[in-house]
Amino acid sequence: MLPAQSFVNWFRDSSPYIHSHRNKTFVINFGGEALLDPDFDHLVHDFALLKSLGIRLVLVHGIRPQIDERLKKLDAPALFHNNLRITSELALQCVKEAAGTARVEVEALLSLGLANTPMAGYGLRVASGNFVTAKPIGVIGGVDYGHTGEVRRIDGSAIERQLDQDAVVLISPIGYSPSGEVFNLSAEQVATQVAIALRAEKLILLTEQSFCDPRSGQQILQMTTAEAGDFLDRHPDLPNIVSLPLKAAIQCSNAGVGRVHLVDRRTDGALLLELFTRNGVGTLISATPFEELRPATLNDIGGILELIKPLEQQGILAKRSREKIEMEIADYIVVERDGLVIGCTALHHDEPSRSGVIACLAVHPDYRGGSRGSRLLDHAYAKARQSGLKKIYALSTQTMHWFIERGFSQSDLTSLPDSLKSLYNPQRNSKILNKKID
């Protein structure tokens, strides 16, 4: 069990995510392998927890192993071509049986309300339906794919109505045609098209393994869609278990879904760790960088104050009021990571002396060691050069060697231009450092 203070700290750290996720639409896809896992009920309990926190939830499940199992019992081969199942009449019957059984099993687990379960006292409503219109893939390269289809249209309005009525929407990888035909679909494709149709904030693909660099074996924590596309081009032989979710993530991000997460569902609590901790445990795909260095705005003031408060209490930074930061917000630069300010600095100009002062340089303790402080300083230095400044100063009580290692020289109060001497507080007895701008 976590010590009390560790639990309190974790709960406090998760609160920004709880607030930001509330009333947002998340589409979660999980494969048929998850349903066969003895601990699948833990995952379902996590779904229910997300719903209880105000998240609008759409679940899309897969049934590949369930179809294969039924075909095996009938002594019929599972036929594939170009990674697509060829769905014969017999296979289609297996698809229907597998989808119906899987849906009922998930609904049953979502309906649990026993006193000794995490869902005790929580009446969860589940809605399913004919939300997916499909068409046949047809004959490609001489191969007839039978009853294998692709998504033609998602009835997003019908799904939205169910979400508005506080239901969890559960969708099987089956589509229907206007003529009443049934088609076997890719669960990843269904989840992708549902997320796009709903303009969901997140698509979460629960995978069967972590997304790692095949050369180093190291997990890849984040990628832009451009980087993910280059990754697929450089590694054309990736197994489907990796390439299919990655292609779905690229398509979804490019279509406007804000964030796509690839999360190894085999880690207990992976979904919660991904959504409610700063670093997560999966791989994030987004059209824009997950972390960026940019000019600060008024909306960042709360984050800046939260970041610098501990350093002010330790005497590392001089105290700054909200009003002062608001007046000087144009001077500030921040590092934002998924909506959180994890680093900041300011460059205050002094036009009479054509000098600048680096102030309020701070990086969150959890993100030190990643050269973010150096990036902030380099950005401020470049900004000073563009502004035509000739020298920048820094006042430091405890980090003077960090500045010296980055080309600053120690000087004294007499070296400060007269217009900057008013910034110096003798009580802090800060060291004065400067660096010429090339």
Side-chain angles (χ1 to χ4, degrees):
M1 181 178 293
L2 285 172
Q5 192 57 49
S6 296
F7 171 77
V8 169
N9 292 339
W10 171 83
F11 206 8
R12 286 172 176 166
D13 288 343
S14 67
S15 61
Y17 299 100
I18 294 173
H19 296 316
S20 66
H21 296 339
R22 186 176 293 121
N23 297 322
K24 300 300 194 302
T25 300
F26 292 2
V27 178
I28 303 179
N29 168 239
F30 54 95
E33 295 83 0
L35 279 79
L36 300 175
D37 193 314
D39 292 327
F40 179 60
D41 58 330
H42 294 170
L43 182 59
V44 175
H45 294 158
D46 290 346
F47 294 155
L49 179 55
L50 297 183
K51 182 68 180 69
S52 72
L53 293 172
I55 294 171
R56 293 157 59 88
L57 208 56
V58 180
L59 306 177
V60 181
H61 69 84
I63 48 174
R64 288 190 185 103
Q66 287 82 356
I67 298 171
D68 291 341
E69 182 182 1
R70 281 167 171 76
L71 288 171
K72 185 176 180 180
K73 288 181 179 178
L74 295 172
D75 199 25
L79 301 176
F80 291 86
H81 186 73
N82 287 338
N83 302 319
L84 287 174
R85 186 185 297 275
I86 298 173
T87 308
S88 63
E89 289 286 348
L90 180 60
L92 182 61
Q93 293 303 314
C94 295
V95 169
K96 293 177 182 178
E97 292 175 9
T101 301
R103 188 182 71 247
V104 170
E105 289 177 353
V106 176
E107 287 179 351
L109 288 171
L110 286 170
S111 301
L112 274 173
L114 299 177
N116 61 341
T117 71
M119 296 166 63
Y122 184 49
L124 200 61
R125 181 171 173 270
V126 184
S128 300
N130 56 338
F131 302 120
V132 183
T133 300
K135 62 181 180 180
I137 288 179
V139 179
I140 301 176
V143 176
D144 186 350
Y145 285 89
H147 297 280
T148 298
E150 59 185 4
V151 175
R152 181 177 177 182
R153 186 177 67 87
I154 300 293
D155 191 346
S157 297
I159 298 174
E160 289 280 5
R161 285 195 293 272
Q162 296 297 330
L163 294 174
D164 290 342
Q165 294 176 19
D166 206 31
V168 171
V169 176
L170 178 62
I171 300 177
S172 300
I174 286 180
Y176 308 93
S177 73
S179 60
E181 294 177 274
V182 179
F183 294 102
N184 176 32
L185 306 176
S186 158
E188 291 91 351
Q189 186 194 51
V190 173
T192 299
Q193 293 301 322
V194 168
I196 293 171
L198 296 178
R199 296 181 178 87
E201 279 72 25
K202 291 183 185 292
L203 169 64
I204 302 169
L205 301 166
L206 298 178
T207 61
E208 296 303 308
Q209 68 176 55
S210 297
F211 180 41
C212 299
D213 188 318
R215 294 167 300 183
S216 66
Q218 295 295 313
Q219 183 182 0
I220 298 174
L221 300 179
Q222 60 195 58
M223 276 185 168
T224 63
T225 50
E227 292 168 341
D230 290 341
F231 183 86
L232 286 172
D233 290 340
R234 286 186 278 108
H235 304 286
D237 298 325
L238 287 173
N240 290 336
I241 198 172
V242 175
S243 63
L244 292 179
L246 191 56
K247 290 174 182 177
I250 294 171
Q251 180 186 359
C252 221
S253 292
N254 287 337
V257 174
R259 297 281 191 268
V260 181
H261 301 255
L262 310 183
V263 182
D264 187 346
R265 60 100 190 159
R266 299 171 303 170
T267 300
D268 186 31
L271 191 56
L272 304 180
L273 291 167
E274 179 68 8
L275 293 175
F276 297 103
T277 61
R278 286 195 177 95
N279 293 321
V281 295
T283 300
L284 176 68
I285 309 294
S286 58
T288 56
F290 175 61
E291 180 178 312
E292 63 175 336
L293 188 152
R294 59 169 177 78
T297 69
L298 291 174
N299 292 332
D300 297 316
I301 293 176
I304 293 171
L305 287 169
E306 189 71 20
L307 177 66
I308 66 177
K309 181 179 177 181
L311 299 175
E312 291 176 347
Q313 293 172 340
Q314 297 170 40
I316 297 174
L317 293 179
K319 290 187 177 181
R320 292 167 176 81
S321 67
R322 175 181 289 270
E323 291 74 17
K324 181 174 176 60
I325 294 176
E326 183 174 344
M327 290 174 58
E328 299 174 340
I329 194 64
D331 294 347
Y332 279 79
I333 308 157
V334 297
V335 178
E336 179 193 1
R337 182 180 176 88
D338 197 24
L340 297 176
V341 175
I342 63 167
C344 71
T345 194
L347 174 66
H348 302 311
H349 292 67
D350 182 68
E351 297 299 339
S353 64
R354 299 182 69 183
S355 303
V357 177
I358 300 292
C360 199
L361 180 57
V363 176
H364 192 284
D366 292 347
Y367 297 98
R368 292 172 188 166
S371 300
R372 293 178 177 87
S374 295
R375 286 176 57 209
L376 284 163
L377 183 61
D378 290 345
H379 190 87
Y381 187 82
K383 187 177 177 182
R385 185 190 295 114
Q386 291 171 1
S387 300
L389 303 184
K390 298 301 181 183
K391 185 178 288 188
I392 53 175
Y393 291 87
L395 307 179
S396 175
T397 57
Q398 300 179 37
T399 58
M400 64 286 294
H401 282 282
W402 186 87
F403 284 100
I404 291 171
E405 290 168 4
R406 285 154 181 81
F408 281 74
S409 300
Q410 191 168 340
S411 55
D412 55 33
L413 185 59
T414 60
S415 69
L416 276 177
D418 291 339
S419 52
L420 294 180
K421 287 179 181 177
S422 61
L423 298 176
Y424 189 81
N425 182 355
Q427 293 182 340
R428 284 179 54 80
N429 195 27
S430 301
K431 300 295 184 182
I432 299 171
L433 305 109
N434 69 73
K435 181 179 181 180
K436 290 183 179 180
I437 296 177
D438 302 326

